[in-house]
Amino acid sequence: MAGRKDARHVSVATIKDDHNRILLIEDSPAMTMLLRQRMEEETGADVVCCDSLASARVCLQTQQFTLALTGLNLPDAPRGEIVGLLGDFGVPTIVFTAIFDPEARERYAEKKIIDYIVKDGKRTIETVLQTVSRILSNRAFTILVVDDARSARSGLVEILARQNFRVLEAHSGKQALEILEAEEIIDLVVTDYHMPDMDGYELTRRIRETRSSEEMRIVGVSSSNDRWLSASFLKAGACDFIYRPFVPEELQCRIDNNIETLKQIQRLRYLADRDYLTGLSNRRCFFEKTKQMEEARLPGQCSSVAILDIDHFKRINDTYGHEAGDRVLKMVADTLTEICAPAKHFAARLGGEEFALYLRNTDAFQAHSFCELIRQQIEELVMEVNKHEIAVTISIGVVETETGESFDNNLNAADQLLYLAKSNGRNRVYSTLTLPEAMAAAKSSAVAELF
Ligand SMILES: [Mg+2]
């Protein structure tokens, strides 16, 4: 779940991975050059350019396109014929046009284009880029449409699918709840009000028992004449409400606003959880997530927690400067990420040169050897700074978490073992398995008293 959400925040990278191809049809060479360059830079998509209906036809016959961006009047097609051609090939189309009037708007709606952009000077390029990015990133969002009337439902599905969303359908409130139970990745629900088994108000209320508006947006739709309905829906936890009949463009704008809100919330949450320097989770996020993971741990399932610290880190900063110190922190963090990823262990930077690991389904023996593997890998790393080779070592304290003991106490025990590892020579892993050795080596009785 976390991985999926995180992936969205690097939306440009995600889009690049998808190998999107955009067909740009425009007869002005200057506009073509500018748009192509900006779109390739900012969305990572391949942009194929054409300057006429004839050349566009050749491209459409030979290549597949994620979407098309087209001017309306071309030298060999002065009356917007290009939109018909793109429609024939089923390519989702964004039109940009010099003039905007109500008649043109209706004509575009009929041709089922995704969106249109009015050329109004300076903002045009930015608007085009925002629209293209939005359409491409919509693919990462799933919308569930709930309506008992088949035609109303398919109308909604069509509008949303055209916007490149992943769309699921339910014909009743009960089915909607079943889908929500089975699919944890639904971002937005559009629900009708009047449905035989459960009305949209009740469905909204039921969804909100488990999912907040920060996780899932709900938009109510109804053809009712009851003007109080929108307020009831919003009070039950819906984020928006639309009376039928609606203009498709209005629905699209409201959905876009809700998805945008969701993206911003996710982005803020991502940043709030992150350690800026290393990109690992931060201290607050570590305590929050491990608390949840410990609570979700089933009886008989084990877990372990480790604290690790870079040995003599201050010397690196003092000798080579803080920039070198930062690079060492980053290098250690990257190594932890790489080693932890396959087993879905959780790594965080607690602060300074101190890191923590939460090891899922890992008992004391497995945890000790896992930490030993990390210790060895870090020891083998060499970083070059100003022609100096820097190598670092780490010390680790690790314990299997004891059920019935508070997580803080478990963490404390790991911390005390780390302290022993440090005082007994560094570059070593201490766990409850090595405790006798640690105790024997501990010179000060103050250390021994810790246990
Ligand atoms: Mg209905």
Side-chain angles (χ1 to χ4, degrees), residues 147-149 192-196:
D147 200 317
D148 59 312
D192 178 32
Y193 177 69
H194 285 291
M195 292 186 290

